[in-house]
Amino acid sequence: MKALNDWGLLALRIGTAGLMFPHGWQKANRLVEGLTGGEVKFYNWLGIGEMPSLILTVIGELVAPILILIGWKSRWGAALMAITMGVAAFMVHWEDSLSDKEHALLFFFPAFALVLTGPGKWSIDRK
């Protein structure tokens, strides 16, 4: 049974991180454009500015999924991703319908589950 749990955690890590990665890549491209003189329009969720908010989002949507995927500091990566998706669902899309929040929630819950469970046997973090 433990082997099935480890396979399940591997599938959860690969699926969640793999599907989040393109979102982070797109935002990283926006960040590069902003750093090279382009205009950055992004939700300023902490009141720290659009650029810092975008940087934090790139960490949560690009760096964190890489950590989750390779299984190194997975719980930290999953926590960063869950926080980012929680902000998206409960702050950015707070007044929107459930169908608009759904995408963020569908990333929030698996990331939160990985915070609780850890990465499983097939990871750099394995114990």
Side-chain angles (χ1 to χ4, degrees):
M1 194 62 157
K2 173 79 170 109
L4 287 178
N5 288 343
D6 289 324
W7 280 108
L9 290 171
L10 180 64
L12 185 64
R13 281 187 16 239
I14 291 171
T16 303
L19 290 170
M20 176 56 77
F21 189 83
H23 297 280
W25 187 258
Q26 178 264 335
K27 288 183 181 74
N29 286 330
R30 287 174 65 183
L31 178 61
V32 169
E33 288 173 17
L35 293 172
T36 57
E39 185 179 359
V40 173
K41 291 194 178 231
F42 198 74
Y43 185 72
N44 184 10
W45 60 279
L46 280 176
I48 60 174
E50 293 176 346
M51 183 65 79
S53 296
L54 180 57
I55 290 168
L56 290 173
T57 302
V58 168
I59 291 169
E61 291 187 10
L62 185 68
V63 177
I66 291 170
L67 296 176
I68 294 167
L69 189 65
I70 64 174
W72 184 68
K73 303 294 182 191
S74 302
R75 287 184 178 198
W76 286 100
L80 291 170
M81 188 170 152
I83 290 167
T84 303
M85 292 297 97
V87 167
F90 301 116
M91 293 180 79
V92 177
H93 297 290
W94 178 251
E95 295 182 3
D96 296 345
S97 66
L98 178 61
S99 63
D100 291 331
K101 294 177 194 174
E102 183 179 24
H103 199 175
L105 291 171
L106 286 171
F107 282 111
F108 171 80
F109 285 108
F112 185 66
L114 286 168
V115 170
L116 298 175
T117 63
K121 178 180 176 182
W122 291 292
S123 68
I124 296 171
D125 285 345
R126 73 180 173 264
K127 299 202 183 276

